[in-house]
Amino acid sequence: MQDYPRAVIDHSALRHNLAIVRRHAPNSRVWAVVKANGYGHGMAQVAAGLATADGLAVARVEEGVCLREAGIAKPILVLEGVLFKHELAAAHEHGLELALHRRGQVELLAETRLARPLRVWIKVDTGMHRLGVDPQRVPALLAELSANPGIEGPVGLMTHLANADDTEDGLTQLQCERLRALDSSGNYSLSIGNSAGILAFPASRTHWIRPGIMLYGASPLIGRTAGDLELRPVMTLQTRLIAVRSLRQGNAIGYGGTYVCPEDMPVGVAAIGYGDGYPRHAPVGTPVLVGGHRASLVGRVSMDMINIDLRGLPAATVGDTVTLWGEGLSVDVVAERAGTISYELLCSVTARVRKEHRSRTTTS
Ligand SMILES: *Cc1c(COP(=O)(O)O)cnc(C)c1O
């Protein structure tokens, strides 16, 4: 069986990164965010690997049901809540907690007789202006929910930060204050921090926090590397060199012939491409590791292959391991080159890349 391309998922790094979350927010309970197939790492496996997380957060009911079917018993929060009655029924059946971000969801709850009470979180729009109810409407909603026997009290209040990746942006502090102001009585559970908030904004370290990307070992903060933040990469995406060619000065490589060899040079072909989730927009010069040594892309990324400038690596040979990101090469570096963010690269790894879940014995 072919062992490449593969995404090696390091569960010891996952646990290490959760410990970093706890170090920053020792008094918070943690919803580990595992939406989008665990940011591309495999949702059920990541959820099982994060056994000490207090709960799991997903975007959709379907994802929560998947986790329950995988035998996960801990609290699960559905960040987008429900749209239709059958979703509410599924959430209820599987004991999922729901974010309520608009009145219609509250009405749906009021119309539905639930055999046992459901836990809900009001999602408040404190300034992101994506989902959420206006802060001034929260008191009335709380009153309405407390009159509904199908709701398990006390209700939680949550909000999502828009700009926490930029530690200079004043909106984050304001968003935290706006949510906290709704709980002057101290009766409610609050949830604010995403990864960037947890790391950079103490006011976002509420009763419950919701780290995603930092658990996977990428940096959520502009200008700070994962290494600076002591995060370890969880996914290492690898393949192998399937050819090493000696090209001549003037040879144009790949589709469109966009790269022309400036001199006679060795060029490697590695078996990975946009059909595996490697970004097609990665430009010439994007770093890769060949046998652990830095090299860089030349030519366009195609569906199943990339080309690598091997001028610095005369010993490189067919079969060598090529690392696209992970151990030794941060996904943040590749994302920046490709004009995107780590989140997109990690979630985009396709099903034809085999995932190998490993738990190394190293401790840290
Ligand atoms: C995705 C998501 C998170 C996690 O964000 P990270 O930046 O990955 O830490 C937290 N809260 C909500 C509502 C989200 O949608």
Side-chain angles (χ1 to χ4, degrees):
M1 183 60 175
Q2 217 169 308
D3 72 344
Y4 62 93
R6 64 179 175 201
V8 179
I9 310 299
D10 176 358
H11 283 238
S12 66
L14 196 59
R15 289 190 294 270
H16 164 86
N17 297 333
L18 177 57
I20 299 288
V21 171
R22 299 256 189 226
R23 207 171 76 197
H24 286 273
N27 302 317
S28 298
R29 280 189 269 181
V30 175
W31 296 112
V33 182
V34 299
K35 63 194 180 188
N37 195 26
Y39 288 45
H41 294 65
M43 184 168 64
Q45 291 92 338
V46 165
L50 291 171
T52 64
D54 303 284
L56 299 163
V58 294
R60 303 180 184 154
V61 171
E62 185 88 37
E63 294 174 321
V65 171
C66 265
L67 288 172
R68 287 283 183 251
E69 284 170 353
I72 304 242
K74 62 179 61 175
I76 297 175
L77 171 63
V78 180
L79 297 165
E80 291 178 6
V82 297
L83 178 58
F84 296 117
K85 213 161 199 148
H86 66 269
E87 295 171 40
L88 177 56
H92 179 249
E93 181 189 340
H94 291 95
L96 309 180
E97 301 187 23
L98 296 177
L100 303 175
H101 58 78
R102 60 184 175 83
R103 253 204 75 80
Q105 293 175 319
V106 178
E107 285 160 11
L108 194 64
L109 273 170
E111 289 162 12
T112 312
R113 287 188 60 82
L114 300 173
R116 63 194 144 92
L118 201 79
R119 282 192 69 89
V120 298
W121 294 74
I122 299 182
K123 187 162 188 170
V124 185
D125 180 6
T126 56
M128 181 162 182
H129 304 312
R130 188 177 61 182
L131 287 182
V133 302
D134 286 342
Q136 66 268 25
R137 296 181 54 206
V138 169
L141 267 188
L142 284 170
E144 206 170 315
L145 287 169
S146 69
N148 182 339
I151 301 296
E152 185 181 321
V155 167
L157 298 174
M158 63 178 287
T159 197
H160 194 42
L161 301 172
N163 301 350
D165 57 334
D166 179 357
T167 58
E168 304 292 308
D169 194 301
L171 179 63
T172 304
Q173 192 61 28
L174 254 178
Q175 286 194 269
C176 294
E177 285 163 15
R178 286 175 183 152
L179 193 80
R180 286 169 174 275
L182 294 171
D183 183 38
S184 48
S185 64
N187 284 341
Y188 301 104
S189 279
L190 301 183
S191 176
I192 305 181
N194 57 1
S195 298
I198 292 161
L199 290 166
F201 294 93
S204 78
R205 297 170 193 152
T206 40
H207 307 117
W208 283 87
I209 51 177
R210 306 185 311 274
I213 197 70
M214 71 181 288
L215 292 173
Y216 304 98
S219 171
L221 297 176
I222 294 166
R224 305 287 299 279
T225 67
D228 294 341
L229 301 167
E230 296 180 59
L231 300 171
R232 285 171 42 193
V234 175
M235 180 195 292
T236 296
L237 181 65
Q238 295 181 323
T239 188
R240 291 184 186 276
L241 282 183
I242 59 166
V244 174
R245 320 269 320 277
S246 297
L247 297 183
R248 309 303 302 266
Q249 179 180 27
N251 286 166
I253 297 175
Y255 289 119
T258 52
Y259 181 85
V260 179
C261 296
E263 58 184 323
D264 294 356
M265 60 190 273
V267 172
V269 179
I272 196 158
Y274 62 80
D276 303 292
Y278 190 79
R280 201 183 82 88
H281 295 288
V284 169
T286 302
V288 299
L289 304 177
V290 178
H293 305 285
R294 276 261 182 161
S296 57
L297 288 199
V298 287
R300 275 191 195 151
V301 172
S302 41
M303 187 184 289
D304 317 301
M305 284 174 266
I306 56 173
N307 304 285
I308 300 170
D309 179 350
L310 293 178
R311 277 177 293 181
L313 301 175
T317 141
V318 167
D320 280 359
T321 295
V322 177
T323 299
L324 292 313
W325 60 67
E327 196 75 56
L329 174 60
S330 173
V331 65
D332 294 316
V333 171
V334 179
E336 184 162 7
R337 286 295 190 115
T340 181
I341 53 176
S342 61
Y343 301 71
E344 187 183 26
L345 294 188
L346 295 172
C347 301
S348 301
V349 172
T350 63
R352 79 170 174 170
V353 175
R354 50 187 284 148
K355 291 200 183 73
E356 290 179 16
H357 290 266
R358 287 190 197 164
S359 202
R360 287 184 320 187
T361 49
T362 55
T363 53
S364 60

